[in-house]
Amino acid sequence: MAPLFSAPSARRGMNLGNALDAPADAAHALAPRERYLDAIRDAGFDTVRLPVAWSAHAAPTAPYTVRRAFAERVDRAVDAALARGLTTIVNVHHYHELHEDPEAHAERFLALWRQIAPRYADRDPALLHFELLNEPRAALTPERWNVLLARALAVVRESNPDRTVLVGPAEMNDLRALPRLELPDDDHLTATIHYYAPFPFTHQGAHWVEGSAPWLGTSWGADADRGDADRVAAERAAVSDDLAEAAAWAKAHGVPLFLGEFGAYERADLDSRARWTAHVRREAERLGIGWAYWEFGTDFGAFDPATDTWREPLRRALVPDGR
């Protein structure tokens, strides 16, 4: 299959999550420090995805102005990443109100992009990409999202005619929602998906997932004895088949595909996390899909900020050759 990378430079990425998308007082908030960008680049990643909670820092009434101090904080992170040669993806993240009441928040969402897009219009379009919205869901159904994404893309194109824009399907960017995604006719679009299957493995013990406690202890990809060989093969085949399905959709629609998030929560055992991560990464690369791991340094983290070191099993799973 021909490569589907969204750009020659956007192949192996890291999400700097729980930073610009987290409340300032959140226990798990991570400051987007420049040394973290150095660590990402030096480990062999070429891309950083910057989730940004613009809506949490914008006025509730028209013209919905984003607070200057926050916008400048995002500027610093964007420019620091670009200065290191990292392809950088900026999105609108955690706009929960839009998901729950799209009619009430559609104009505010468009107003955010009327501020974001011109702000970065002079940045290199080969290195800075936009992602319209993280994980549309709930009342923002596929039908409603298809209409709104076309309006948002038109806003972006007023100031950024050639910039790569990532668009994912509704239902939280799930690959099985791709058939209901309608992309406008645009030569600079990339489809994006998220992948966290099997969910009882990747989210075992996650405090925000109701009923996840009984999943604790779920392993993945381990051969305890010969009797497990069929199970392990089935686990691997399920992941491979899922990603192949997404790649086939992208090929049929003539668009690049980017795996914007995949990862396993910290309460899974590290060996299983590394095996699963390595398999997802290998299959994505085999299919020509660029990717970004979720996430750098908090509860899914491949990096330990307390020691300023990589969790080596995860680092090797993602960039085994360091290049």
Side-chain angles (χ1 to χ4, degrees):
M1 181 176 291
L4 293 172
F5 293 132
S6 57
S9 58
R11 299 188 178 187
R12 292 179 166 182
M14 178 62 66
N15 277 276
L16 198 58
N18 296 320
L20 296 169
D21 57 314
D25 60 350
H28 64 298
L30 182 74
R33 304 187 189 282
E34 292 198 19
R35 73 173 186 271
Y36 296 157
L37 296 170
D38 290 334
I40 291 168
R41 177 200 59 197
D42 294 347
F45 298 93
D46 54 55
T47 300
V48 62
R49 181 172 178 258
L50 293 176
V52 183
W54 298 97
S55 61
H57 300 270
T61 56
Y64 310 110
T65 304
V66 176
R67 287 197 289 272
R68 178 178 176 180
F70 180 75
E72 290 177 347
R73 186 177 174 218
V74 178
D75 293 347
R76 289 192 292 273
V78 168
D79 289 335
L82 295 176
R84 287 158 174 78
L86 292 166
T87 298
T88 304
I89 301 168
V90 172
N91 77 355
V92 170
H93 210 87
H94 288 328
Y95 196 165
H96 303 301
E97 301 90 344
L98 176 64
H99 305 310
E100 297 301 325
D101 192 350
E103 290 187 10
H105 285 267
E107 292 303 323
R108 188 169 184 257
F109 172 64
L110 297 174
L112 293 179
W113 278 112
R114 289 193 182 96
Q115 297 170 73
I116 300 164
R119 189 174 193 91
Y120 300 114
D122 64 348
R123 305 318 197 267
D124 185 349
L127 285 181
L128 179 62
H129 300 170
F130 293 154
E131 181 182 340
L132 293 180
L133 180 66
N134 181 71
E135 296 185 346
R137 58 190 179 274
L140 191 52
T141 61
E143 294 75 20
R144 287 173 173 166
W145 175 228
N146 288 333
V147 172
L148 185 56
L149 75 86
R151 295 180 66 194
L153 181 64
V155 168
V156 170
R157 290 293 177 238
E158 291 173 5
S159 55
N160 290 261
D162 301 320
R163 192 171 304 283
T164 294
V165 175
L166 283 70
V167 181
E171 300 175 13
M172 299 186 72
N173 294 156
D174 187 85
L175 64 90
R176 288 187 172 79
L178 282 171
R180 299 178 71 184
L181 175 64
E182 296 177 4
L183 295 176
D185 185 10
D186 187 297
D187 292 336
H188 300 286
L189 287 184
T190 291
T192 184
I193 56 170
H194 294 175
Y195 191 72
Y196 291 102
F199 202 68
F201 166 68
T202 64
H203 282 68
Q204 57 187 282
H207 62 84
W208 66 94
V209 178
E210 186 177 355
S212 65
W215 302 340
L216 286 167
T218 303
S219 63
W220 192 92
D223 271 314
D225 53 49
R226 287 188 178 182
D228 288 337
D230 289 345
R231 174 185 56 78
V232 170
E235 288 175 343
R236 293 177 179 273
V239 171
S240 301
D241 290 348
D242 283 348
L243 295 180
E245 178 183 333
W249 180 92
K251 183 178 182 180
H253 288 77
V255 293
L257 183 64
F258 190 79
L259 176 57
E261 291 185 17
F262 68 104
Y265 187 54
E266 63 185 353
R267 297 194 69 183
D269 72 270
L270 185 56
D271 288 343
S272 289
R273 292 172 68 196
R275 283 190 294 269
W276 180 87
T277 299
H279 185 66
V280 174
R281 188 266 307 164
R282 282 194 299 266
E283 288 301 284
E285 292 183 350
R286 180 181 67 82
L287 293 162
I289 303 169
W291 52 262
Y293 177 77
W294 185 270
E295 43 70 39
F296 175 70
T298 63
D299 45 13
F300 284 68
F303 187 88
D304 184 353
T307 61
D308 267 342
T309 58
W310 290 97
R311 294 183 172 98
E312 278 301 309
L314 291 174
R315 198 276 306 162
R316 289 193 301 271
L318 292 164
V319 281
D321 54 5
R323 292 183 287 106

